[in-house]
Amino acid sequence: MVQQTVDLLKKEIPLEEEPVVISEQVKTGLVLVDVINGLCTPGSGSLAPREPNRQISEMIDESERLARLFCDKKWPVLAFLDSHRPDQLEHPYPPHCLTGTDESNLVPALRWLEREPNFTMRRKDCYDGFIGSIEEDGSNLLVLGICTDICVLDFVCSTLSARNRGFLSPLEDVVVYSRGCATFDFPAGSLQELMHHVGLYMAKGRGARIAKEVSIECTLQKP
């Protein structure tokens, strides 16, 4: 019954996705939002999945794949890490991802990024990680992470608003990669699927491009 309701709602709010090919001629930045233990690794905190989860596992795999591609190209990679002081909680959620704990660290599959020269890591204590992190020589942003409908959406909306006001020139496109995002694994898996869909739908409504697949166009070098 729950799945039927979810399917009906998704039909009522259809989401158009597109394949996105990133040109090597246009420098693009990769933003990873909260791909950390406390939100992704089973049993690692109050908001972590209780058991292995397909949507979250796919998000981590795609985050690692694209991060390696970007590092090979020496393109900028930025990661926001949810990190809260015990006296600065984030209502209505229970204490989570406390500063200094492994909950607020990158998942094991991404820890190698900390040794990369093109990598920047910023800890945040709120949903929205927007801190004016766009490099002047970039014109696109590719966004991945968790949760699709909370921290990812907040960051995307703030970035688009700043772009529209002319604060982030020459930023042109903000692309959200659907398979590179995930949200809470609610007790009923169908709700996870629905809220992921809703988050993407709202991001598109604000002006983001939604990618169903992402690849980098290889340009042959002239001899």
Side-chain angles (χ1 to χ4, degrees):
M1 181 63 181
V2 173
Q3 185 61 54
Q4 291 177 343
T5 302
V6 169
D7 291 341
L8 177 62
L9 289 172
K10 289 175 67 175
K11 184 177 180 180
E12 291 298 315
I13 50 172
L15 176 66
E16 182 180 347
E17 300 182 61
E18 60 180 301
V20 170
V21 178
I22 301 172
S23 171
E24 286 189 325
Q25 305 304 313
V26 180
K27 195 169 185 179
T28 300
L30 178 67
V31 180
L32 304 173
V33 179
D34 292 341
V35 190
I36 57 177
N37 290 316
L39 297 174
C40 303
T41 302
S44 294
S46 60
L47 297 183
R50 293 168 294 285
E51 57 188 23
N53 177 271
R54 179 198 57 78
Q55 189 185 90
I56 293 175
S57 295
E58 182 177 47
M59 174 200 68
I60 293 173
D61 290 345
E62 290 300 300
S63 294
E64 181 181 13
R65 179 181 73 85
L66 287 169
R68 291 193 182 278
L69 287 174
F70 272 65
C71 288
D72 287 344
K73 302 289 183 186
K74 307 302 181 186
W75 289 351
V77 178
L78 168 69
F80 290 123
L81 281 63
D82 211 34
S83 187
H84 302 279
R85 298 197 312 266
D87 62 342
Q88 191 177 36
L89 302 182
E90 194 169 40
H91 301 293
Y93 300 102
H96 62 282
C97 304
L98 297 181
T99 301
T101 69
D102 200 43
E103 287 185 37
S104 65
N105 290 331
L106 287 167
V107 296
L110 293 177
R111 291 298 296 269
W112 59 270
L113 272 170
E114 298 175 13
R115 302 187 296 273
E116 294 294 319
N118 59 308
F119 176 65
T120 301
M121 185 170 69
R122 300 283 174 83
R123 296 188 180 275
K124 65 183 182 68
D125 58 5
C126 64
Y127 308 121
D128 191 343
F130 176 74
I131 50 176
S133 57
I134 313 306
E135 298 293 337
E136 292 183 359
D137 56 357
S139 61
N140 292 308
L141 269 185
L142 176 62
V143 184
L144 293 76
I146 189 169
C147 293
T148 318
D149 52 323
I150 306 175
C151 294
V152 172
L153 179 62
D154 277 15
F155 172 76
V156 167
C157 289
S158 292
T159 302
L160 288 167
S161 293
R163 181 203 66 180
N164 294 343
R165 292 289 302 276
F167 298 152
L168 295 178
S169 177
L171 179 67
E172 295 178 4
D173 289 330
V174 175
V175 180
V176 182
Y177 179 30
S178 60
R179 289 174 55 205
C181 295
T183 191
F184 287 125
D185 64 328
F186 293 95
S190 298
L191 292 181
Q192 181 187 26
E193 178 185 346
L194 175 61
M195 296 312 297
H196 175 69
H197 180 87
V198 168
L200 295 172
Y201 181 85
M202 293 178 70
K204 185 173 180 64
R206 297 293 182 91
R209 296 172 63 188
I210 308 300
K212 62 181 178 181
E213 58 187 58
V214 175
S215 60
I216 296 177
E217 178 185 48
C218 293
T219 303
L220 295 177
Q221 298 293 326
K222 293 183 179 180

